[in-house]
Amino acid sequence: MRKIIAATFTALLVSAGMASAQDLYEHHLNHLDDNKDGALTRVEYEDFMNSTFRALDTNKDGSLSVEEASKVLTQEQIRAVDTNQNGRISRQEFMRQVMKDFDAADKDGDGSLR
């Protein structure tokens, strides 16, 4: 599931016209690093992912349909995130997974990614 972080960044930034992987990395780190300290904190990431969920939830029903989620996730990822297997991803399911992914990427456990 660590790929959800990269997939979400990539899908959102490619749609914004970013091209290369280096551009993507620099853009999303700079964009999400609110205090510009060179690190993406857990709080900064959580804020971004909450905004991402709201943007993906185009019909504003509080959950992501397969169609909405497929903009950033593969079918396999959708099935894994949809823990109650009801065919929709709730905000809670989405946030639980993306924050789990953040924690897994935070190798030194300091609450930030560099």
Side-chain angles (χ1 to χ4, degrees), residues 39-55:
L40 177 61
T41 67
R42 194 172 202 286
V43 170
E44 289 168 331
Y45 185 70
E46 187 170 15
D47 288 346
F48 169 73
M49 294 311 293
N50 272 306
S51 295
T52 299
F53 184 91
R54 285 191 302 274

Side-chain angles (χ1 to χ4, degrees), residues 69-86:
S70 66
K71 293 175 185 170
V72 295
L73 303 176
T74 66
Q75 293 299 314
E76 182 180 338
Q77 290 169 326
I78 291 169
R79 283 189 297 277
V81 175
D82 180 15
T83 56
N84 66 1
Q85 301 300 300
N86 69 348

Side-chain angles (χ1 to χ4, degrees), residues 9-72:
F9 285 145
T10 302
L12 293 174
L13 297 174
V14 166
S15 69
M18 300 301 294
S20 75
Q22 183 63 33
D23 286 344
L24 289 172
Y25 177 78
E26 289 176 12
H27 177 77
H28 71 251
L29 182 60
N30 291 334
H31 177 72
L32 300 178
D33 182 12
D34 290 334
N35 63 4
K36 305 302 180 205
D37 67 352
L40 177 61
T41 67
R42 194 172 202 286
V43 170
E44 289 168 331
Y45 185 70
E46 187 170 15
D47 288 346
F48 169 73
M49 294 311 293
N50 272 306
S51 295
T52 299
F53 184 91
R54 285 191 302 274
L56 291 171
D57 183 16
T58 56
N59 66 0
K60 306 303 179 204
D61 69 353
S63 65
L64 302 179
S65 66
V66 171
E67 182 180 325
E68 290 167 326
S70 66
K71 293 175 185 170
V72 295

